[in-house]
Amino acid sequence: MTSKDLTNTPFLQACRCEPADHVPVWFMRQAGRSLPEYRALRKEGSILDAIKKPDVSAEITMQPIRRYGVDAAILYSDIIVPIHAVGFGVDIQPGVGPVTENPFRSTGDLQRLRELDPIQDTPYVLETIKICVEQLDIPLIGFAGGPFTIASYLIEGGPSRTYQETKRLMFENPELWAKLMDRLTQICTSSLLSQIDAGVSAVQLFDSWVGALSPSQYIRFVFPWVEKMFKEISSTGVPKIHFGVVTGELLQLMSEVGADVVGVDWRVPLDLARDRIGGEKALQGNLDPAILGAPWPVIQDEVLTILKLNDGHPGHIFNLGHGVTPNVNPEVLERIVQLVHQFRVNQ
Ligand code: CP3
């Protein structure tokens, strides 16, 4: 099979802030529980086991593409996969998220975070990418968890509202925090580079919970590591998307750290986000996923408002402000894709 040139597909054009045929759209967590065909294929059992089966993961990646007609696919995997693969001792509990019985608390715990060798440790991820790339004629997005977000799961032992233990470690033992971030940065960087090598066309760094930090905390405890990660990936030329929620006060920093596309959640209007980020950067977002259960006219109005606030800027990838939740009716997402694709600036 000849390798496909996807350079001039709307999603990659928008990543480069170049005009495209239509505004591209995809949905975070599009591959997942809101699809009946996903539930039928996944059945019971750990998501981490499903991810280890490339034929299953590739099929789950493809399911939303067939149904929705989105402009990009996202690899079916999880941010915790590389950490699980190096043997830290972390699992994903249904309805909860990543959990660890022995949280990261002291220097000795660094031993549980050896370097990632993606070919040895996560061959199934690379195989899934290869199967998907064969089948797709739209770009495939690879991803990793941001070092803060991963660190928060390892330190807190599971999801948190306050990040108290994470912040305690940062301030009490900044040397250990730096070592932990070094390790996580190595793991995330080599995972992303291996995904690019296997054929993904773009990568997204999900630093989902980094909005828990103030700008000065971000500058001191996160910026240097994410900057290093993005620098190492830059040589590949693959666009880098940077995403988190509640990041209104961090948008500029999350751009300056080296992203090509900045994810915006629904709390910041898109025109204001563009002002904060400035320059020729693409934005991704930002429909509130919680309104997906509202009557269609409400959703339509919200979608059009976002598109109008973007005001025809070529660097816009339509998405939700966070992931699709399990109770969303897939038909709603299908209608949103059609609406976004039909939109023209002067309508
Ligand atoms: O469709 C896609 O976006 C691709 C697949 C994907 C998953 N997780 C599959 C998954 C992606 C990109 C992720 C990233 C991820 N995982 C993030 C960052 C994105 C975000 O939401 O901010 C985070 C924080 C995680 C950690 C995690 N994994 C959580 C919080 C959960 C939910 C737990 C639950 O059951 O409510 C998971 C499990 C998970 N990862 C599911 C899916 C489809 C659901 C569990 C299942 O289907 O068995």
Side-chain angles (χ1 to χ4, degrees):
M1 163 144 208
T2 53
S3 85
K4 294 165 245 185
D5 182 7
L6 302 175
T7 322
N8 290 326
T9 50
F11 169 79
L12 289 175
Q13 287 173 315
C15 288
R16 300 189 302 266
C17 290
E18 291 169 12
D21 248 15
H22 58 253
V23 177
V25 47
W26 69 280
F27 303 108
M28 289 184 277
R29 292 276 176 94
Q30 63 191 15
R33 291 170 298 177
S34 62
L35 290 179
E37 58 268 36
Y38 170 75
R39 292 193 294 266
L41 188 64
R42 259 281 276 124
K43 300 200 187 78
E44 300 302 308
S46 164
I47 183 178
L48 291 171
D49 289 335
I51 290 168
K52 285 175 192 162
K53 296 180 190 135
D55 51 339
V56 173
S57 298
E59 176 56 23
I60 295 173
T61 304
M62 298 302 293
Q63 285 175 343
I65 310 311
R66 296 188 197 112
R67 206 188 249 262
Y68 300 136
V70 281
D71 294 276
I74 181 149
L75 175 69
Y76 181 74
S77 182
D78 195 87
I79 57 168
I80 224 68
V81 163
I83 304 298
H84 172 74
V86 300
F88 181 83
V90 57
D91 211 341
I92 296 180
Q93 211 168 298
V96 179
V99 287
T100 173
E101 263 180 47
N102 298 307
F104 184 100
R105 288 293 154 81
S106 63
T107 311
D109 292 319
L110 286 169
Q111 284 170 10
R112 295 154 67 202
L113 283 173
R114 65 165 170 81
E115 275 199 18
L116 178 79
D117 175 348
I119 294 172
Q120 288 292 324
D121 298 325
T122 51
Y124 42 88
V125 171
L126 309 180
E127 185 55 33
T128 304
I129 292 171
K130 286 177 188 158
I131 299 172
C132 292
V133 168
E134 276 271 310
Q135 296 181 26
L136 285 165
D137 50 18
I138 53 171
L140 175 65
I141 304 169
F143 66 89
F148 172 83
T149 296
I150 301 281
S152 78
Y153 283 117
L154 303 187
I155 297 167
E156 304 286 338
S160 170
R161 277 179 194 276
T162 58
Y163 303 95
Q164 264 177 10
E165 293 299 327
T166 311
K167 290 191 182 182
R168 184 212 300 271
L169 194 142
M170 278 176 177
F171 284 102
E172 233 173 44
N173 196 342
E175 296 79 20
L176 180 56
W177 175 259
K179 284 184 185 143
L180 172 59
M181 293 300 271
D182 285 345
R183 293 281 167 101
L184 295 178
T185 300
Q186 185 281 322
I187 290 171
C188 294
T189 306
S190 60
S191 175
L192 288 175
L193 287 172
S194 72
Q195 293 177 48
I196 293 168
D197 209 41
V200 301
S201 300
V203 291
Q204 176 154 332
L205 190 68
F206 283 95
D207 216 349
S208 302
W209 315 134
V210 81
L213 300 180
S214 69
S216 67
Q217 291 170 347
Y218 186 88
I219 290 167
R220 180 171 169 205
F221 295 113
V222 176
F223 193 105
W225 290 277
V226 173
E227 184 179 42
K228 183 163 186 262
M229 188 184 303
F230 280 158
K231 258 194 194 136
E232 285 187 40
I233 292 164
S234 280
S235 60
T236 65
V238 159
K240 305 173 290 299
I241 310 170
H242 195 189
F243 169 79
V245 289
V246 206
T247 52
E249 300 304 323
L250 299 179
L251 286 174
Q252 202 183 341
L253 289 167
M254 288 177 70
S255 166
E256 283 169 11
V257 75
D260 304 299
V261 182
V262 182
V264 182
D265 84 1
W266 63 95
R267 294 171 181 88
V268 184
L270 213 60
D271 53 342
L272 185 57
R274 204 174 281 290
D275 282 349
R276 289 185 183 179
I277 289 163
E280 280 301 287
K281 283 263 164 117
L283 302 185
Q284 178 172 277
N286 67 343
L287 183 68
D288 182 353
I291 68 139
L292 294 175
W296 174 250
V298 175
I299 300 172
Q300 183 174 22
D301 225 48
E302 292 282 317
V303 171
L304 290 174
T305 300
I306 292 166
L307 291 165
K308 285 175 185 161
L309 284 179
N310 180 62
D311 199 22
H313 195 289
H316 179 214
I317 298 156
F318 194 93
N319 205 316
L320 305 176
H322 201 179
V324 177
T325 47
N327 56 350
V328 167
N329 177 356
E331 279 168 26
V332 170
L333 296 180
E334 206 181 317
R335 287 182 85 172
I336 293 174
V337 172
Q338 288 166 5
L339 182 61
V340 173
H341 281 176
Q342 283 159 10
F343 178 81
R344 297 294 176 269
V345 189
N346 297 320
Q347 113 184 6

